[in-house]
Amino acid sequence: MTYAWLIPALPAASFIILLFLGKRFGKWSHFVSVGAILSAFAISSFILYQVIGGRGSEVLIPWLSIGELDLNVGILIDRLTAVMLMVVTSVASLVQIYSVGYMKEDRRYHWYFACLSLFTAAMLMLVLSANYVQMYASWELVGLCSYLLIGFWFEKKAAADAAKKAFVTTRIGDVGFLLGLVVLYYAVGNLDVGSVLAARLAPAVATAASLLLFLGAMGKSAQFPLHVWLPDAMEGPTPVSALIHAATMVAAGVYLVARSYPIFAASGVAMDVVAGIGAVTALMAATIALVQRDIKRILAYSTISQLGLMMIGLGVGAYSAAVFHLTTHAFFKALLFLGAGSVIHSAHTQDIFEMGGLAKKMKGTAFTFAVGGLALAGFPGLSGFWSKEGILTAAFVKGAYPVFAAALLTSLLTAFYVGRLYFVVFTGSMRKNMQAKVHESPLAMVAPLAVLAFPAGLVGLIGSPLFGNAFQGFLRLGESGEHVNLMVMGLSIAVALAGLGFAWIKYSTGLLPSGLIKTSNPFFLLLKNKYYLDEIYTRGLVAPVVGGSRALFSFDSGVVDGAVNGTAWLTSKAGDLVRRAQRGQIQDYGLVMVLGIIVLIFWMLTFARL
């Protein structure tokens, strides 16, 4: 426990080294970054071993005192922390190793690994934070790093726009997070995590704080209606997509709700909102994924959908099941994104309907992608099946039947679009334009896929009834024992097999006509255009803000600046006129004096006569 602070410090040191010396290291920059994250993984593994043995730690150090406000920083290590440290460091390690092959030709190679190091350090510090202000600072640093990495290829307008969209959208949620901290501070008197979670909050305070914190989680974990940034984040390099979608940014929102679970559990309203938003998000994103053609966007909407399932779990009181699904999802979604990167690296396209038959020349990628896809689909026995089944069972047992129905339908749609993706890309005939260029990816990319395939497929067994639900028992927080409902389990298996089976019939056998669903169908257009939410936001929010900003700019430049500049112009012109009288010619001054005397005498004589 003494060396836990090194877990975020090592990647942070890697960032500093690469920031100042990265150009000198050049193509060797990855040794610094990968070495740092592998060291962090080793320390995290030892901490997990100690936590399993019953140890934990909370260290607080005074940081800032302003009047009656005392802020501490420190490290909190408990079972949730230990699990999240393993998830983040293991996935980040494999993503960085994979990046060595994927990014080797990029001219900003050292800067890429510097940003990855800072991104990982921020997420690790967020997980370890013993104070909510410290957590919020790490939360914002995660947002900054996502901006840098999504817009890494900022020369592309789409990438630059996606980075700005992600940054602005998540900031909306972060305002809620900050206001939630204000509510908690006035209710508890400090923001140390241990003190806040141990406090007995009034129901109204718990509801207000929970809903505000959840607003922050909605932004980071892409919950409706703040989900619109995540699909566009695909403009970043594919390894970045894997890291964002599996173990870092999107996991932060779910982690925040899980970490603050006692506060949420004290408010029935907050729990219902979390479950309801999760259900809407899960089902909505799954339907959109059905019609996407871009391989990365299919996986992006899948991530949004699975995050919705995690929120359902938290909302119905299945804390351990939700964290279990977060863990399994991190592995199989990282595997799928890295597998997609391998496909893109070889095929040089992201449109799945421009591919086909790739398994013939990319056997390693095809096999590992199948493992990740089946886990995501909830195929019986694989990791996604066990973690998803726990959420479904909890929703059913708690009587949240609308939420249960939404989660079950989401599972059916997930199995179908996963099957569609795999059968279109890897089976069937290979296109002629692909035959010459398609090849298996280099070992630096395939090896992480092979390593990820094991936890993606099998880590779920730790939380299965076969192992006594050991994972949930390790994490359990104020929950009763795990329920095994054979009916729910049967339904879960049925929808997974039905979705995969229908996808096989539709896209692999050719038994169904290709034009079964017309592209002019209104419902198809609704899904293709993502329920027109981007258009609604553009016209309802972005356009008024931009129009109002331009109007204010016109007023500022035309009226305010016009008045100031006009005054300056008038003064300048008056000065020019006066300056002409100051020519330095003595005879001119004499003439003016004489004329002045004449005028004065004339005036006096005239005035005297009157």
Side-chain angles (χ1 to χ4, degrees), residues 213-227:
L213 292 178
F214 184 58
L215 185 59
M218 287 168 61
K220 278 289 191 290
S221 288
Q223 296 296 286
F224 174 84
L226 299 181
H227 66 284

Side-chain angles (χ1 to χ4, degrees), residues 261 271-272 274-276 278-279 282 308-322 386-411 479-485 487-489 491-492:
Y261 188 74
M271 295 289 276
D272 289 342
V274 171
L309 288 178
M310 297 173 208
M311 291 300 184
I312 289 175
L314 291 167
V316 299
Y319 163 85
S320 58
W386 296 115
S387 57
K388 192 181 299 184
E389 193 274 335
I391 294 173
L392 289 170
T393 299
F396 183 79
V397 170
K398 295 294 177 64
Y401 299 123
V403 172
F404 169 75
L408 192 65
L409 181 55
T410 297
S411 299
E479 300 172 283
S480 58
E482 295 297 316
H483 299 279
V484 177
N485 189 299
M487 186 194 75
V488 173
M489 185 176 290
L491 287 172
S492 179

Side-chain angles (χ1 to χ4, degrees), residues 424-608:
V424 170
V425 172
F426 292 102
T427 66
S429 302
M430 184 180 294
R431 292 177 179 268
K432 291 183 179 180
N433 62 330
M434 290 284 175
Q435 292 176 356
K437 63 182 180 180
V438 170
H439 56 83
E440 186 58 276
S441 298
L443 182 63
M445 295 171 64
V446 176
L449 298 180
V451 173
L452 273 171
F454 284 97
L458 301 176
V459 75
L461 290 174
I462 302 173
S464 70
L466 302 176
F467 285 77
N469 302 110
F471 187 95
Q472 295 90 325
F474 174 71
L475 270 179
R476 191 168 291 131
L477 182 66
E479 300 172 283
S480 58
E482 295 297 316
H483 299 279
V484 177
N485 189 299
L486 295 180
M487 186 194 75
V488 173
M489 185 176 290
L491 287 172
S492 179
I493 294 173
V495 297
L497 296 180
L500 290 169
F502 186 69
W504 175 73
I505 293 171
K506 175 70 174 70
Y507 294 101
S508 191
T509 65
L511 295 176
L512 295 177
S514 58
L516 183 64
I517 300 176
K518 301 294 184 182
T519 56
S520 59
N521 184 293
F523 185 64
F524 180 89
L525 292 175
L526 181 67
L527 299 183
K528 183 180 178 181
N529 289 283
K530 301 161 288 187
Y531 294 96
Y532 297 97
L533 288 173
D534 282 322
E535 288 79 5
I536 292 172
Y537 289 163
T538 299
R539 296 179 183 179
L541 295 175
V542 177
V545 169
V546 172
S549 299
R550 287 175 177 169
L552 290 174
F553 175 76
S554 299
F555 176 80
D556 181 66
S557 59
V559 178
V560 178
D561 288 351
V564 173
N565 294 335
T567 303
W569 179 85
L570 183 62
T571 303
S572 175
K573 291 301 181 182
D576 287 342
L577 292 174
V578 175
R579 184 177 59 196
R580 294 177 181 178
Q582 303 295 327
R583 298 171 58 189
Q585 299 293 326
I586 296 177
Q587 55 270 32
D588 290 346
Y589 299 157
L591 176 62
V592 171
M593 290 176 62
V594 171
L595 292 175
I597 292 171
I598 293 172
V599 170
L600 181 61
I601 292 173
F602 177 79
W603 180 83
M604 291 178 66
L605 291 174
T606 304
F607 181 76

